């Protein structure tokens, strides 16, 4: 297997990382999205095997027991997310680099594992208030789930300094342009 590079985008939910990652996937054909496994229900128009591998908790824990994950996390109470080793291998085998949209702890775990082959970017929202507005505006989560996301987001904002780069997302267009430059430079290194 030929080993490619890893581009990790982490941030609290609602900081805009998914939009930035989608932008980069269009810009750089050499990048391929790491499809995570999760035990949560699909939301809106999300598709199985495109946005996530939506699997049961039983199936997830079976994979944990068989060491199939490079990292996994109980991101929210009772809801698991993880990166499958087979997913990274699938992308590298195709001669591509992997791009991740992953929570802060998972992102740091991958960075520790892959070191110089990985670029870990923290997407910083303008403020916690803006983040809360964005999360509420989605209208896809129950009040309980939203409250859980707020608590986690507040905690995650403190991890920014542990990343290679902090990318401010105050204005989406500017953030996408900066992300393009960062990723372009790293891929050409
Ligand atoms: P959402 O439910 O909004 O799609 O994702 C919730 C959080 O889980 C987001 O911060 C997302 O980036 C993160 N996440 C998605 N996939 C993974 C994964 O494979 N591992 C970890 N640790 N977090 C993930």
């Amino acid at each position: 297997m030929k080993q490619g590079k890893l581009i990790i985008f982490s941030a609290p939910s609602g900081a805009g990382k998914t939009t930035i990652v989608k932008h980069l996937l269009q810009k750089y054909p050499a990048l391929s999205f790491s499809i995570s496994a999760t035990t949560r229900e699909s939301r809106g128009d999300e598709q199985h095997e495109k946005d996530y591998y939506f699997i049961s908790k039983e199936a997830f824990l079976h994979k944990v027991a068989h060491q199939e994950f490079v990292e996994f996390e109980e991101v929210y109470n009772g809801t698991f997310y993880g990166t499958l080793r087979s997913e990274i291998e699938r992308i590298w085998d195709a001669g591509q680099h992997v791009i991740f949209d992953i929570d802060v702890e998972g992102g740091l775990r991958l960075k520790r594992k892959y070191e110089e082959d990985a670029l870990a970017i923290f997407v910083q929202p303008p403020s916690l208030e803006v983040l809360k507005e964005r999360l509420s505006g989605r209208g896809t989560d129950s009040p309980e789930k939203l409250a859980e996301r707020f608590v986690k987001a507040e905690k995650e904002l403190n991890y920014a300094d542990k990343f290679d780069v902090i990318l401010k997302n105050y204005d989406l267009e500017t953030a996408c342009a900066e992300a393009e430059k960062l990723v372009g430079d790293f891929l050409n290194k």
Side-chain angles (χ1 to χ4, degrees):
M1 182 188 59
K2 180 177 157 283
Q3 173 162 338
K5 293 183 180 177
L6 306 94
I7 314 279
I8 304 160
F9 274 85
S10 291
S13 192
K17 65 183 183 300
T18 306
T19 313
I20 296 171
V21 166
K22 285 193 173 147
H23 172 79
L24 291 169
L25 282 163
Q26 286 199 323
K27 175 79 192 168
Y28 294 113
L31 293 178
S32 184
F33 180 64
S34 168
I35 304 166
S36 297
T38 183
T39 63
R40 87 152 158 73
E41 300 279 307
S42 83
R43 215 167 45 198
D45 58 2
E46 286 177 334
Q47 286 172 32
H48 178 59
E49 297 185 345
K50 177 169 173 277
D51 299 288
Y52 279 109
Y53 299 111
F54 293 103
I55 62 176
S56 67
K57 197 180 284 183
E58 215 173 39
F60 196 103
L61 294 176
H62 180 84
K63 290 180 188 300
V64 171
H66 288 80
Q67 275 116 42
E68 292 181 40
F69 288 104
V70 181
E71 65 77 36
F72 73 94
E73 196 102 25
E74 187 174 354
V75 173
Y76 300 111
N77 198 10
T79 308
F80 293 84
Y81 295 76
T83 305
L84 292 161
R85 197 180 308 281
S86 58
E87 182 65 8
I88 297 181
E89 287 170 3
R90 172 181 76 77
I91 292 169
W92 282 348
D93 280 346
Q96 293 194 288
H97 305 293
V98 194
I99 184 164
F100 299 85
D101 171 342
I102 180 175
D103 92 321
V104 166
E105 288 188 38
L108 290 174
R109 202 162 291 146
L110 288 179
K111 175 66 191 179
R112 277 197 296 273
K113 185 171 167 68
Y114 293 101
E115 300 179 331
E116 296 309 305
D117 293 320
L119 176 68
I121 300 173
F122 184 90
V123 181
Q124 190 165 60
S127 66
L128 186 62
E129 284 63 40
V130 171
L131 197 69
K132 286 183 173 178
E133 276 167 29
R134 286 187 193 162
L135 281 173
S136 313
R138 278 181 180 173
T140 47
D141 289 304
S142 66
E144 296 76 37
K145 285 264 181 288
L146 260 183
E148 201 180 2
R149 283 180 186 263
F150 290 166
V151 171
K152 183 172 159 67
E154 198 161 4
K155 195 174 122 207
E156 287 190 325
L157 287 174
N158 298 321
Y159 284 78
D161 289 345
K162 296 186 192 299
F163 283 75
D164 294 324
V165 189
I166 298 175
L167 175 67
K168 293 192 170 89
N169 182 14
Y170 297 3
D171 166 70
L172 191 58
E173 216 170 298
T174 312
C176 283
E178 284 175 12
E180 264 180 41
K181 167 110 182 55
L182 283 168
V183 170
D185 288 351
F186 182 71
L187 292 181
N188 289 324
K189 223 170 42 176

